[in-house]
Amino acid sequence: MGAATTTIRGRRAVPWLVLGLWIAVLALTSPFASKLADVQRDRAVDYLPASADSTQVAKIQDRLPGGETTQMVVVYHRDGGLTAADKATAADQIGEIASAHRLAARPEGVPSKDGTTLMYPVASTEPGTDEEKRDQLVGDVRDIAQGEDGLSVDVGGEGALATDASEVYNSLDGPLLYTTAAVVALLLILIYRSPFLWLVPLAVAGIADYLSMGVAYGLNQGFGTSVSGQSSGIMTILVFGAGTDYALLLVSRYREELRRVERPYDAMAAALKGCGPAVLASSGTVAAGLFCLLAADLNSSRGMGPLGTVGILCALAAMMTLLPAILVLLGRRVFWPLVPRYGSTPKARRSLFAAMGSSAGRRPLTVLAGGAVLLGALALGALNLPGSLKQEDSFTSKPEAVAALETLGKAYPERGTQPISVIAPTDRADAALAEARDTPGVDSATRGRSGWGSPRSSEAESGGGWTELSVIAGSAPQSAGETATIKELRDRLDGSYVGGPSAEQLDMKDTNARDRLVVVPLVLASVLLILIALLRSVVAPLILVAAVVAVWGAALGIGGLVFGPVFGFEGTDPGLGLLSFVFLVALGVDYGIFLMHRMREESLKGTEPAQAALIALRTTGGVIASAGLVLAATFAVLTSMPMVQLVELGFVIAVGVLLDTFLVRTYLVTSASVALRRKVWWPGALSKQPAVGGDSPEPVAEPAGMR
């Protein structure tokens, strides 16, 4: 009795020890979590390709005297034509701007041919931290440049567009977190039908998110990991989405064990033993897939890899340690009013997933072929995806910088309205300037600042550093003509770098194409290896990977059918294909692991393979559906954000998760498993093991998580 009493007391102490450990961890990370917003950067260089010309231009400009140049365009417009008073007002306001700020040169007005518009290019080299200097300058210029009596004044250009984008990203943190938490809370209430239970996983997810912020800040300080508004927002989505998925699986299994085991501690131990390997494997798969983004050359994609991995691992740690401890301490009463009594048996009933399994079991090849045709047809919609997204089309609403760009595009269709930045070695600057002026498609070129500061070599130091050139193309921004001019400049100006907003967009598009060729095979290989190790099979992992790739294609196809015709988007973010692939493959395999792991459990008992597949679907279908709805809903939160690239990414992933949950997992993977029978486990030992339980199993109750 003494030993037993000691054991019981020891078990009772474990949850309290875990809770105390988490309190200590949060106390240590709290000072760092609150600083994550301070290191968040959304400058162009934080998103650009690491090795591209445009990135080197941005880095060198940052090191030239005065720091990074802030390029703006002040646009004065009147529909009926500018009056003399309008021009006088413009001159006075530009003079006030020049007096209040240090500019690279005195702005000169450029009138449009139709007389409706007057633009003043403004370039400032004032000292200060990059984003603070830029945002304050843009704000001051907008305060000075004001229109009245029908005269419209908009401040656009690269600097103003960056400020507007930064304001949007900075405003995401609060709304994104609150909206995500509200969506998850609503779904958990509907799933659990309990006034208390939903609070526990939601609170634990919030704690995991807070921990991930502290760890992300530590990575930034220790290893220089970039943190952007996009990557930190995705990290929050992953913590709540994936974390809630793990909680649903654990709580569902814990509820089952409470009916068979008297003590909550022992029931939780059994639940962790039963679902722990699947959760560990699924989180490992997602983390490995996201970590492959480190091989990307695009800064925004590469920075998202570590932050996404941090989010997944923090969610895993919280849901596998803190959540079990809290549930054990609260006991059975947390499930009220549907309390799982010890020794009780849930009411057996034919569930939706039993019906789905029956149809897949009767005609597996027909279901498999039909599903494959449907996914293939949907994937064809990807051919209708709009072209690359331009900077001015990146917002769902129209900020001032975009209004300025639209006015410029209409008023100056015959020329460029934003400079192409060229950085040339100072000892060859005059020759580069002459060569730039002779380049086909160039309207004008002027010489700017000079100084030291190569970001990656001492190439130009012997010649006196670097000199900035400002080139205006004869074609509209981001048009085919301007793109040709940029390429021509890069071919002609040997030893120089060509950047600026349009060059940045071009480099992003080219780098994304390169990253897809590198990252996609890495993701597929890493996910496949983890699945082979977990399932001890080659065929089953190949089925799961092929299924998620098909889902990705279909989700992109649906995006192609709605982005332009329904949403009115003018372009597609160049990184959409790669990021949606990584997330859908890594996250989609999660549900395949839950299903296949249960199927393997049944097969190890000797159940005939086809029956094992149907049992796995009936016993995990409810929790997989719940998890899929939660994950899709969390990513769907991104569709309410004011950035087109976030809306597109959230839509494609949400649609893909729903397709994966309700079509691929329930029908196609189950049908393939039924059709292949024991071959699904080839070449593992299960592919050769004779069945000892070939009779049809008794009806299995729908998982408690869905009741």
Side-chain angles (χ1 to χ4, degrees), residues 558-581:
I558 294 175
L561 297 176
V562 302
F563 285 165
V566 179
F567 294 166
F569 294 159
E570 298 294 332
T572 305
D573 179 44
L576 176 64
L578 176 62
L579 292 180
S580 61
F581 178 87

Side-chain angles (χ1 to χ4, degrees), residues 174-196:
L176 184 63
L177 175 60
Y178 303 145
T179 306
T180 302
V183 168
V184 171
L186 177 61
L187 289 173
L188 288 177
I189 292 171
L190 294 175
I191 291 169
Y192 288 139
R193 305 179 204 176
S194 167
F196 307 113

Side-chain angles (χ1 to χ4, degrees), residues 285-316:
T285 302
V286 177
L290 292 174
F291 210 68
C292 291
L293 284 171
L294 282 174
D297 191 38
L298 194 66
N299 282 341
S300 55
S301 297
R302 191 172 65 253
M304 194 175 294
L307 261 67
T309 302
V310 164
I312 289 294
L313 295 181
C314 287
L316 172 69

Side-chain angles (χ1 to χ4, degrees), residues 277 281 285 525-542 593 597 600 681 683:
T285 302
S526 61
V527 169
L528 195 59
L529 288 175
I530 292 175
L531 290 176
I532 290 173
L534 173 71
L535 300 176
R536 301 175 191 177
S537 162
V538 172
V539 175
L542 286 174
I593 289 175
H597 187 265
R600 180 177 172 80
W681 302 115

Side-chain angles (χ1 to χ4, degrees), residues 156-157 161 391-392 400-410 417-418 477:
L161 195 63
Q391 283 182 310
E392 61 265 33
E400 184 175 335
V402 171
L405 283 173
E406 291 182 352
T407 301
L408 290 172
K410 295 175 183 177
T417 55
Q418 62 183 11

